[in-house]
Amino acid sequence: MMPGEEESPGGDRDGGLVLLHGPKSGSTRKQGCDPFAQTQRSKLQHRRARINQQINKEMRMRAGAENLFRATSNHKVKETVALELSYVNSNLQLLKEELEELNSSVDVYQNDSESISVPMIPLGLKETKELDLLVPLKDFISEHYGEEGVLFEKEIKEFMELRQAMRTPSRNEAGLELLMEYYNQLYFLDSRFFPPTKTLGVFFHWYDSLTGVPSHQRALAFEKGSVLFNLGALHTQIGARQDRASLPGLTQAIDAFQKAAGAFNYLKENFSNAPSLDMSAASLTMLVRLMVAQVQECVFEKMTLLRAQNDFLARLQLAQEAARVEEVYSLVHQTMGQPHVKDYVPFSWTTMVHVKSEHFKALSHYFAAIALCDCPAPSDAELLEQEKAFLQFHVTMPEGPSLRVLLQDPEERRKLGKAHLKKAIMKHEEAMRIHGLCKILRKMDILQEVLSFAHKRSLSKYSEIDHEEDFFETGEAPDIHPKTHQKPEIKSPNFSQVKVTDLFHRLGPLSVFSAKNKWYPARRVHLMRGENGFGFTLRGDSPVLIAGVIPGGCAAEAGLKEGDYIISVNGKDCKWSKHAEVVQLLKSTGKEGVDIGVITLQGSECPKAQVDRKAAVMSSGSGMLKSNKENSRKSLMNSKSASTLLVWSKKSKRSKKSTYSGVPFTAVGDNEAMY
């Protein structure tokens, strides 16, 4: 379900999103980063934007050349066009390689701490073109709402400024809130200006995050999905910049990568038919798994800070945590090798994931060896607990003596530890070999330093425990059973954390004044109070509904009809007025009467037989002056489907129930009031 269950002006929560409608609450628009600020990250994003524009230009040239090649029959022209096409394709390939190098610049997004940590993989933000909505929205307001479009220029410009700001969000909580605010504001734009039967006539242009290939669609769902993708991408950048040498930094990194996984997973589950590869189901599945793997890596690093290094059980846990990290990175590497993803993901990403898989496999065997070789044999009191832990430690039990003998005999522990170290060294060397295959990763000094340090540490430990008189052949160490004490959580976006106000609330409550509803032109009716009052019953709030009209009464003679909504009283706008406020305005009228502005929704008229039957009862009945909020926006929104799936090719499914149901009632009940 998309965010945006409509709220009452009080801002009550419904459906996980707080949306405010009342005119008292103004939109608190956040500011994006200064687009001209010369930070490393902004320079990278500027280069990305420039490459995107060049790719767009080359693709247009290629499309034109291909059309000409197909259309012409002149052999000489065909040769010239073919030569031009080869030139354009060469340019596109060079631009693609340049963009891939940018996507591989993970070091720019890392923290500035002096501590050595394995780099994480962040995503660059999707770029978009500027969008001028001033004329289309003004035209729609005039045509659909019957209002002067020029009177809403301030609101339209405020929305456009919000969109411009969200193109350059800051890499912190304020940037996340900015994206969330714009994303939530799109719900109102969709409800106000995107009817189910026609388009607004504007295109939303976005560039693929990894390839720079441009895509455009009229569907607002494309805009929503692209913003949601950038929300996840920004979380990855925030996670990558944390100082993971400290517990607070690790906690924040875990939270950021979990939220990134949640954003990509939400995008995958709620959108389909994506026009760009970065938002295809295959790519999003890969990104979710990549984020989960990076969370698992942070959990391992957290364990290394928390656990006592000289404790046997703690080192076994570290070995199993490392094995779990290797397992999830192996899954990511496997996903990156699938047909729809293999040629799309940067080679440096695939290589880094493969390197990490081998690196953490090596670490799992290293910590197993350290537990066996550096920790003393257990006492009788410790033996049972260690035996139980070791029983579940290996995937297959190691060959040799029984488990109890193995744990109590220092020589047997050394032999198994040596086997684990041998395997660790082999995996370290494999990680370094794979790392050397990628030109971009070879330039990454910090990764080279981490791999080299781990390799030397294992070699040093192997030399320490290797004895000259060892004539036995070192056996094959069994793999370590992966296990984690903190399972990664995929945190879906919390849309309720940012309160947004409908910028176009002056158009009226969405329950009536939305793009899906149509109404007849507003009518102005002059009413005089008769002996029995005005001769109608009212119901509901914002706007107040004329629930019934007494035949022969003042209201009927003036032309009011059942199902009309009161939008003004004596020139005062009443679209947002409560029931009691409208009643008070009516009661305060004198002998000169009152001017009432009303509208009638198309398709909301009751059948004539129902009107006549109800009128017969109303003419002889009387009711109590009570009111409720039966047609309030909250109750209407509660009738909406709770699981709406938005797709790229069409807008969201809207509730087909009209605001006024037209169900007949046989008397003036407690939920209505007669005047």
Side-chain angles (χ1 to χ4, degrees), residues 28 172 354 654:
T28 55
N172 51 29
H354 196 184
R654 293 174 168 88

Side-chain angles (χ1 to χ4, degrees), residues 240-285:
R241 76 177 300 187
Q242 301 304 320
D243 179 8
R244 304 200 317 276
S246 66
L247 280 177
L250 278 169
T251 301
Q252 290 173 2
I254 289 171
D255 183 62
F257 289 128
Q258 287 183 150
K259 288 178 177 177
F264 296 135
N265 193 59
Y266 187 91
L267 185 57
K268 183 185 71 166
E269 291 181 350
N270 290 275
F271 294 83
S272 60
N273 303 324
S276 59
L277 281 174
D278 53 358
M279 291 189 286
S280 66
S283 295
L284 291 171
T285 298

Side-chain angles (χ1 to χ4, degrees), residues 363-632:
L363 289 184
S364 68
H365 286 283
Y366 170 78
F367 281 109
I370 292 297
L372 289 164
C373 299
D374 285 8
C375 296
S379 64
D380 292 338
E382 297 171 331
L383 182 60
L384 187 62
E385 186 181 8
Q386 291 192 11
E387 193 175 1
K388 183 180 177 182
F390 211 71
L391 193 63
Q392 301 173 349
F393 182 68
H394 291 104
V395 175
T396 57
M397 288 301 296
E399 298 177 0
S402 67
L403 195 57
R404 180 159 294 204
V405 173
L406 171 63
L407 289 173
Q408 291 182 317
D409 186 346
E411 182 61 20
E412 291 296 334
R413 289 168 70 112
R414 186 181 70 85
K415 285 182 181 180
L416 183 57
K418 189 176 179 181
H420 276 297
L421 276 175
K422 181 182 176 182
K423 200 161 190 177
I425 292 168
M426 289 171 58
K427 290 298 177 182
H428 281 311
E429 290 173 350
E430 179 65 8
M432 295 172 73
R433 184 191 70 80
I434 297 168
H435 171 266
L437 296 176
C438 181
K439 180 179 69 174
I440 294 173
L441 291 190
R442 287 200 301 269
K443 298 176 183 178
M444 205 175 295
D445 295 337
I446 188 168
L447 183 58
Q448 176 70 44
E449 195 173 344
V450 169
L451 296 177
S452 179
F453 170 78
H455 181 233
K456 288 176 181 176
R457 184 176 61 176
S458 293
L459 282 173
S460 174
K461 192 65 186 175
Y462 188 87
S463 300
E464 182 185 322
I465 66 170
D466 185 31
H467 297 167
E468 290 183 6
E469 60 272 16
D470 284 347
F471 296 108
F472 61 86
E473 184 177 345
T474 305
E476 179 77 12
D479 284 335
I480 294 155
H481 182 69
K483 186 180 178 182
T484 181
H485 83 289
Q486 183 179 338
K487 189 177 179 181
E489 178 187 354
I490 296 177
K491 293 185 176 180
S492 295
N494 180 16
F495 298 111
S496 64
Q497 74 181 41
V498 178
K499 297 181 180 180
V500 294
T501 301
D502 181 6
L503 292 175
F504 300 93
H505 66 263
R506 288 198 294 129
L507 289 172
L510 267 176
S511 58
V512 176
F513 301 95
S514 65
K516 69 178 180 181
N517 289 331
K518 292 183 179 180
W519 49 88
Y520 297 106
R523 311 191 315 275
R524 199 171 194 181
V525 176
H526 185 75
L527 275 183
M528 301 295 293
R529 188 192 298 272
E531 293 181 1
N532 296 321
F534 291 114
F536 55 64
T537 58
L538 302 181
R539 183 174 65 190
D541 294 321
S542 306
V544 173
L545 173 72
I546 296 178
V549 178
I550 299 175
C554 299
E557 291 179 0
L560 289 179
K561 296 180 292 184
E562 177 184 343
D564 284 346
Y565 285 100
I566 297 177
I567 60 172
S568 67
V569 176
N570 284 335
K572 177 179 171 57
D573 192 304
C574 293
K575 294 190 188 82
W576 284 101
S577 297
K578 298 287 188 182
H579 186 107
E581 294 171 351
V582 173
V583 170
Q584 186 59 41
L585 287 172
L586 293 173
K587 285 183 175 179
S588 63
T589 59
K591 294 180 180 180
E592 68 280 4
V594 60
D595 288 325
I596 300 178
V598 295
I599 61 163
T600 305
L601 287 182
Q602 293 184 19
S604 68
E605 303 90 338
C606 288
K608 187 176 186 301
Q610 294 177 2
V611 176
D612 293 342
R613 183 166 61 251
K614 190 165 96 175
V617 178
M618 288 175 59
S619 61
S620 60
S622 61
M624 300 173 66
L625 294 179
K626 294 185 179 180
S627 66
N628 73 348
K629 300 181 182 180
E630 186 172 316
N631 72 320
S632 68

Side-chain angles (χ1 to χ4, degrees), residues 318-381:
L318 276 177
Q320 289 188 302
E321 284 284 356
R324 175 58 183 162
V325 178
E326 180 270 329
E327 184 181 52
V328 291
Y329 270 120
S330 292
L331 178 61
V332 176
H333 185 250
Q334 179 185 341
T335 309
M336 287 180 170
Q338 291 177 352
H340 295 293
V341 184
K342 183 178 180 181
D343 298 328
Y344 172 69
V345 176
F347 177 66
S348 59
W349 285 21
T350 309
T351 307
M352 180 178 281
V353 166
H354 196 184
V355 166
K356 286 191 175 188
S357 174
E358 298 294 335
H359 173 67
F360 281 98
K361 182 124 182 169
L363 289 184
S364 68
H365 286 283
Y366 170 78
F367 281 109
I370 292 297
L372 289 164
C373 299
D374 285 8
C375 296
S379 64
D380 292 338

Side-chain angles (χ1 to χ4, degrees), residues 86-97:
S86 65
Y87 175 72
V88 170
N89 285 330
S90 297
N91 282 348
L92 278 171
Q93 183 61 32
L94 290 172
L95 289 168
K96 181 183 176 183
E97 291 174 2

